[in-house]
């Protein structure tokens, strides 16, 4: 798991600074939504399914449906590991 966090951190750090900051703010907000899962029924998977198509929009709309699962899994991972991806930033 730690290797995956490290790889994700490196990928996120390649984003333009404003995009990275926007993603960080959004993911920490979504993590707070998930913390209230018992009240709102929004698990990290549910939130990922809702937000992944917007966060990771493809250039080619034909690819949209074929990549939904991988995108949702990636966004779920980012939500569940946002501390490790964003706060342990050593680069």
């Amino acid at each position: 798991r730690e290797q995956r966090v490290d790889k994700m951190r490196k990928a996120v750090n390649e984003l333009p600074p404003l995009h990275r900051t926007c993603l960080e703010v959004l993911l920490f907000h979504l993590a707070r939504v998930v913390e209230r899962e018992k009240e709102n029924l929004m698990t990290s998977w549910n939130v990922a399914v809702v937000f992944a198509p917007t966060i990771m929009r493809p250039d080619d709309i034909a690819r949209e449906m074929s990549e939904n699962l991988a995108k949702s899994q990636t966004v779920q991972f980012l939500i569940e590991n946002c501390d490790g991806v964003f706060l342990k930033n050593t680069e």
Side-chain angles (χ1 to χ4, degrees), residues 74-85:
T74 301
V75 172
Q76 180 183 23
F77 180 83
L78 284 167
I79 291 168
E80 292 174 353
N81 296 282
C82 57
D83 286 341
V85 172

Side-chain angles (χ1 to χ4, degrees), residues 44-87:
S44 59
W45 177 250
N46 291 343
V47 172
V49 167
V50 171
F51 282 90
T54 302
I55 294 172
M56 302 177 80
R57 184 167 287 313
D59 292 332
D60 177 15
I61 198 69
R63 292 174 39 199
E64 180 81 24
M65 295 308 289
S66 65
E67 297 175 350
N68 271 350
L69 178 61
K71 290 177 188 178
S72 295
Q73 290 171 332
T74 301
V75 172
Q76 180 183 23
F77 180 83
L78 284 167
I79 291 168
E80 292 174 353
N81 296 282
C82 57
D83 286 341
V85 172
F86 291 100
L87 297 181

